[in-house]
Amino acid sequence: MTVSRVMNQTGYVHPATREKVLRVANEFNYRRNGLARGLKMQCTETIGLVIGDVANPFAAEVIRGVREVLTARGYTLFVCVCEQSIKEEVAAFESLADHRVDGIIVATRASQSGNAHLKKLIESGVPVVALGRDFAHRHTDFVSADHLKGGYDATAHLIQLGHKHIGFIGTKQTYGAGLKRFQGYLEALRAHRITPQEQLIVGGQNDADQTPGYSTEEIGYAGMNRLLDLRKPPTAIFARNDFTALGAISAIKQRGLCIPQDVAVVGFDDVPLASHTSPPLTTVFQPTHEQGKIAAEFMLRRIEALEPMPRAERVLPCRLVIRESTVAGGIGAN
Amino acid sequence: MTVSRVMNQTGYVHPATREKVLRVANEFNYRRNGLARGLKMQCTETIGLVIGDVANPFAAEVIRGVREVLTARGYTLFVCVCEQSIKEEVAAFESLADHRVDGIIVATRASQSGNAHLKKLIESGVPVVALGRDFAHRHTDFVSADHLKGGYDATAHLIQLGHKHIGFIGTKQTYGAGLKRFQGYLEALRAHRITPQEQLIVGGQNDADQTPGYSTEEIGYAGMNRLLDLRKPPTAIFARNDFTALGAISAIKQRGLCIPQDVAVVGFDDVPLASHTSPPLTTVFQPTHEQGKIAAEFMLRRIEALEPMPRAERVLPCRLVIRESTVAGGIGAN
DNA sequence: CTGTTAGCGCTTTCAT
DNA sequence: ATGAAAGCGCTAACAG
C-alpha cells in the first residue's frame, strides 16, 4: 500500500520511507502492473487506432494528429494495422476490446461486416470514433474530409480548362472516401452537362469487402494504359489518389505524351511527394492531421463524459492545389 | 467457471449448458476481460512494436512482415509510434511494459538515452528484439540489413561508371542505418583511392539524439542545391534514402540539368515509387519485409523458450538495383 | 460435468 | 504516516 502511494504520488508518505521504497524498487527493477491497475480502475488510459494501410501517407498523418492530442492528455496510443482483410479488422477490434482500451478510433475503409461488428462493439459500451469512414451510429462520433466536394472541385477544374473527355482511375468501391470522390466526379460532369462514359472509368474490380487497401501506382499505371489504348483517349484524368495519379503520369510519359498538353492529371490527398513530381501534381489537399486531432478530441470528450453522449459530426473542407500537371508553364513541366 | 470453460473451449461442458452460456453471453454483450486474464496467466499474447517514422515505407513493410508471423501464431501486434523525440520513445517503452506485452520489437533509430532505457527494460525481464537498429545486449536478438555494404555498393557503382566527384546527401547521424550507409560511402571512396571531400557531404545538422525521423525530400532538395552551388559540383550523388534522392532529382531538373548525363543519382531503400520516378531511380533494395518476419520469429522463439536465450543475430544482404538515374538509355530518362 | 477456493497485483476504504 | 481488508475478473487445482 505504501508502495502504491509512493508510485502514484498520492497521500502522505514519510520522506525516508519514500526514499527507501524508490531505492528498492529501482534495485529490483520493479514496475507497476498495468493489468492489475486497469482491472481495479476500470480504465487503462489507452486508446486504440485501427487503420488499414500504414504505407499511405494518410495513415502517418492521422497517427500524428491523434497522438499529438492523446499524449498531451496522458493517454497512450496503440495502433492496430489490418491490411489484408476485413477478418483482420474484426480481429483488431476484438483484441483492443479484450485488452480494455478506453476507446477505439476506426480509420479503416467501411464494409458490411466491419460495420456490423463495430455496432456490437459500441453496444457493449466501448467508445468509438469513426475517421474518414462511413459509419452512422447514435453514440459514435464522426470526422472526415469532404471527399465529395473535393472530387467535384477536381473535376470541375478540368472542365473549366476546357476538357470534356475526362477519365477516372481508381479502385471501384461501394463504401468510403473513394466512392465519395467518384461521386463528386460524376456530379461535376453532370452539372456541366457532360455524360459520364463507362469506358473512361477504370480501376480494380469491385472487391470492397475483401481488401481494405488503397489504390496504388500499379493501378494508376495499368488503368492509364487502358485509357490510352482507347480509340478516343481522354484528354484529362482524375485519379482517386496521388499514388494512382503518379502511376498514370508514368504511363503517359512512357508513351512520349506531354503533361498537361496531351493529358492533364489531377490527384487527391496532396502527399508530400506531389509537389516534387515532374510535372508537379495538381491535387486536392485534405486536412489529414486535423482529422486525427479532432478524432482524438472527440474521443477524450466522450470518455470523460460520465453519461453516453450524442453523436458529434465534423466534415472538413478540402482544397484544390493547382500545379503544372493541369496548367502548363511552370518550371517543372516537361 | 463454467463460463470460462465455454469461452476457452476447454474441459467438459454439457452441450445444453454451453448453448445457454453462449446465448446469455451474446445477449448481454459479454466479453472476457483481457486484463484479468493477463493478470492471472502472466501473459497477454500481445507484442509491441516501437517505430519512429510511420510515414516511411520502411515502417509499413516492417509492420507487414511482423504481423504476418505474429497473427499466424495467434499474437496481436500493438504498434507504438514515436516521431518527435527520444522522450516519446521511452514513454512508448514504459507504456508497453506497463501493459505487460509479452515482448517488444524496437525499430527506432538508436540513441544514447534510448539504449540506456532499453537495457533497463531487458533487465526487468521483457524480451526485446532490435530491428535495423544498433543495440548490443546479451539477451536481445538483432536483425538488420547490411547498410554498410549497401552504401559501399552504391558508391562503387558510381565509381565504376567513371565518377570521381561523388556527393553524399543525408542527415548526419551518430547511430543507425544512416551512419552505416555513410560509412559504406567513405569506404568505397577510399578503396578506390578517392579522398572524401568535406564540402561534398551535406545534410541536416547532427541532431541524432533529438529527432528519430528520417531524411526527407526537403533535405535532398536543399542539399542538392547546396552542392550545385559549389564551384565544382559533384557529377554523381549518393543519397541516404530514396526520398532524399527524389528531392535531389527535383533540384537537378529545376536547373535544367540532365540525369544521369550531368548528375547521376543513387538512392537507398527501393521504395515502390523508385521505379516510377523520371528517370527511374537507381537504388539499393533492402529486404524490409523479411526483416520484419525474422524479428517476429526471433521474438516468438524467445518468448516460448522457458529460459533466457542467448543473442541471435541476422544481417541480410542488400541488392543494388540499377535504373536510368545512373545509366542513360532507358525509356523513362529525360 | 459443474462448483468452490485461492490468488494474480493493484487501489479504495477504513483502522490504527 | 502506515497497514489490513476486500474485490476488480479471471483461471488452476481440486472437490463434488
Side-chain angles (χ1 to χ4, degrees):
Chain A
M1 192 57 238
T2 303
V3 172
S4 172
R5 273 191 269 261
V6 172
M7 290 306 175
N8 295 308
Q9 318 206 36
T10 172
Y12 291 109
V13 175
H14 192 90
T17 322
R18 156 178 289 115
E19 277 314 302
K20 196 161 130 191
V21 167
L22 289 174
R23 194 165 40 73
V24 175
N26 192 53
E27 186 179 339
F28 288 91
N29 260 313
Y30 169 82
R31 149 160 285 131
R32 85 166 178 211
N33 189 322
L35 300 177
R37 181 168 220 266
L39 181 59
K40 180 72 190 170
M41 307 280 278
Q42 305 285 27
C43 79
T44 53
E45 302 198 314
T46 278
I47 302 289
L49 170 63
V50 183
I51 210 156
D53 182 3
V54 269
N56 199 297
F58 173 78
E61 274 303 302
V62 167
I63 293 173
R64 260 194 51 219
V66 171
R67 266 173 50 73
E68 199 171 308
V69 172
L70 291 188
T71 53
R73 300 276 287 276
Y75 280 79
T76 300
L77 178 69
F78 288 146
V79 180
C80 276
V81 180
C82 47
E83 32 208 342
Q84 311 289 358
S85 64
I86 304 294
K87 217 181 79 193
E88 296 193 13
E89 185 186 350
V90 171
F93 292 158
E94 292 284 311
S95 257
L96 289 168
D98 269 9
H99 290 283
R100 291 299 193 268
V101 292
D102 294 339
I104 300 181
I105 299 175
V106 188
T108 41
R109 208 162 72 194
S111 69
Q112 195 84 58
S113 47
N115 281 4
H117 204 90
L118 213 43
K119 196 163 291 179
K120 288 203 62 171
L121 213 62
I122 294 159
E123 274 152 22
S124 78
V126 184
V128 168
V129 174
L131 192 160
R133 164 206 171 104
D134 284 338
F135 187 72
H137 190 283
R138 214 157 27 99
H139 294 305
T140 299
D141 303 323
F142 172 80
V143 54
S144 174
D146 195 342
H147 299 284
L148 184 74
K149 176 123 196 317
Y152 186 99
D153 290 348
T155 311
H157 167 61
L158 292 172
I159 295 171
Q160 270 143 32
L161 290 171
H163 295 283
K164 290 181 157 34
H165 215 58
I166 302 172
F168 178 87
I169 307 180
T171 315
K172 274 178 199 157
Q173 289 177 203
T174 48
Y175 288 96
L179 177 64
K180 286 272 162 58
R181 294 173 187 179
F182 178 60
Q183 287 173 340
Y185 160 81
L186 293 179
E187 280 191 18
L189 292 182
R190 289 195 187 112
H192 294 82
R193 317 215 164 279
I194 299 174
T195 311
Q197 293 183 256
E198 186 69 47
Q199 76 271 20
L200 291 185
I201 298 161
V202 298
Q205 63 286 21
N206 188 330
D207 50 8
D209 255 21
Q210 292 311 310
T211 63
Y214 292 80
S215 199
T216 59
E217 288 141 66
E218 280 70 34
I219 288 175
Y221 184 82
M224 192 66 227
N225 274 322
R226 196 124 49 93
L227 292 175
L228 290 173
D229 285 338
L230 292 174
R231 259 164 305 125
K232 201 181 164 203
T235 64
I237 295 296
F238 172 37
R240 218 196 66 150
N241 65 31
D242 288 346
F243 288 111
T244 308
L246 290 176
I249 286 178
S250 190
I252 295 166
K253 282 178 165 179
Q254 205 169 83
R255 302 224 180 181
L257 299 172
C258 284
I259 302 169
Q261 292 82 357
D262 297 315
V263 187
V265 179
V266 183
F268 206 115
D269 284 343
D270 196 22
V271 298
L273 215 58
S275 56
H276 284 284
T277 55
S278 68
L281 185 66
T282 292
T283 185
V284 180
F285 168 82
Q286 68 160 315
T288 315
H289 181 241
E290 191 69 15
Q291 289 175 72
K293 277 174 67 177
I294 293 173
E297 275 155 12
F298 278 174
M299 177 55 80
L300 292 180
R301 213 173 49 172
R302 188 162 280 279
I303 288 171
E304 281 158 19
L306 286 305
E307 335 200 340
M309 287 186 49
R311 172 180 177 85
E313 275 192 38
R314 186 82 171 276
V315 176
L316 304 173
C318 293
R319 180 165 44 79
L320 183 68
V321 180
I322 299 173
R323 300 204 182 93
E324 284 91 30
S325 72
T326 56
V327 180
I331 297 167
N334 61 336
Chain B
M1 193 57 236
T2 302
V3 172
S4 172
R5 273 191 269 261
V6 171
M7 291 304 175
N8 295 306
Q9 318 206 36
T10 171
Y12 292 111
V13 176
H14 192 89
T17 321
R18 155 179 287 117
E19 276 314 302
K20 196 160 133 192
V21 168
L22 288 174
R23 192 164 42 72
V24 175
N26 192 52
E27 186 179 340
F28 288 91
N29 260 314
Y30 169 82
R31 151 159 282 130
R32 85 165 178 210
N33 188 322
L35 300 177
R37 181 169 220 269
L39 182 58
K40 179 72 190 171
M41 307 282 278
Q42 304 286 25
C43 79
T44 54
E45 302 197 314
T46 277
I47 302 290
L49 171 63
V50 183
I51 210 157
D53 180 4
V54 269
N56 199 297
F58 173 78
E61 274 301 302
V62 167
I63 293 173
R64 260 194 51 218
V66 170
R67 266 175 49 73
E68 199 172 306
V69 172
L70 291 188
T71 54
R73 300 275 288 274
Y75 280 79
T76 300
L77 179 68
F78 289 145
V79 181
C80 276
V81 181
C82 48
E83 33 208 341
Q84 311 290 358
S85 62
I86 303 294
K87 217 181 80 194
E88 295 194 14
E89 185 187 349
V90 171
F93 292 158
E94 292 283 312
S95 258
L96 289 169
D98 269 10
H99 291 283
R100 291 299 192 267
V101 292
D102 293 339
I104 300 180
I105 299 175
V106 188
T108 41
R109 209 161 73 192
S111 69
Q112 194 86 59
S113 47
N115 281 4
H117 204 89
L118 212 43
K119 196 163 291 180
K120 287 202 64 172
L121 214 63
I122 294 160
E123 273 152 21
S124 79
V126 184
V128 168
V129 173
L131 193 160
R133 164 204 172 107
D134 284 337
F135 187 71
H137 190 283
R138 214 157 26 100
H139 294 305
T140 299
D141 302 324
F142 172 81
V143 54
S144 172
D146 195 342
H147 300 285
L148 184 75
K149 178 121 194 317
Y152 186 99
D153 290 348
T155 312
H157 168 62
L158 292 171
I159 294 170
Q160 269 143 33
L161 290 171
H163 295 283
K164 289 180 158 32
H165 216 57
I166 302 171
F168 177 88
I169 308 180
T171 316
K172 274 179 199 157
Q173 290 176 205
T174 48
Y175 288 96
L179 177 62
K180 286 272 161 59
R181 294 173 188 178
F182 177 60
Q183 288 173 339
Y185 160 81
L186 293 179
E187 279 192 18
L189 291 183
R190 289 195 187 112
H192 294 82
R193 318 216 162 276
I194 299 174
T195 311
Q197 293 183 256
E198 187 68 47
Q199 76 270 21
L200 291 185
I201 299 162
V202 299
Q205 64 284 21
N206 188 329
D207 50 8
D209 256 20
Q210 293 310 310
T211 64
Y214 291 80
S215 199
T216 61
E217 287 141 68
E218 280 69 35
I219 289 175
Y221 183 81
M224 192 67 227
N225 274 321
R226 196 125 49 93
L227 291 176
L228 291 173
D229 285 338
L230 292 175
R231 260 164 304 126
K232 200 182 164 202
T235 62
I237 295 295
F238 172 37
R240 220 198 63 151
N241 66 32
D242 288 345
F243 289 111
T244 308
L246 290 176
I249 286 179
S250 189
I252 295 167
K253 282 178 166 179
Q254 204 170 83
R255 302 222 179 182
L257 298 173
C258 285
I259 302 169
Q261 292 81 359
D262 297 315
V263 187
V265 179
V266 183
F268 206 115
D269 284 344
D270 196 21
V271 299
L273 215 59
S275 55
H276 284 284
T277 55
S278 68
L281 185 66
T282 293
T283 186
V284 180
F285 168 83
Q286 67 160 315
T288 315
H289 181 241
E290 190 70 15
Q291 287 174 74
K293 279 174 64 177
I294 292 173
E297 276 156 12
F298 277 173
M299 178 55 80
L300 292 180
R301 212 173 50 171
R302 188 163 281 278
I303 288 171
E304 281 158 19
L306 286 304
E307 335 201 339
M309 286 186 48
R311 172 180 177 86
E313 274 193 40
R314 186 83 171 275
V315 176
L316 304 173
C318 293
R319 181 165 43 78
L320 184 68
V321 180
I322 299 173
R323 299 203 183 92
E324 283 91 31
S325 72
T326 55
V327 180
I331 298 166
N334 62 336

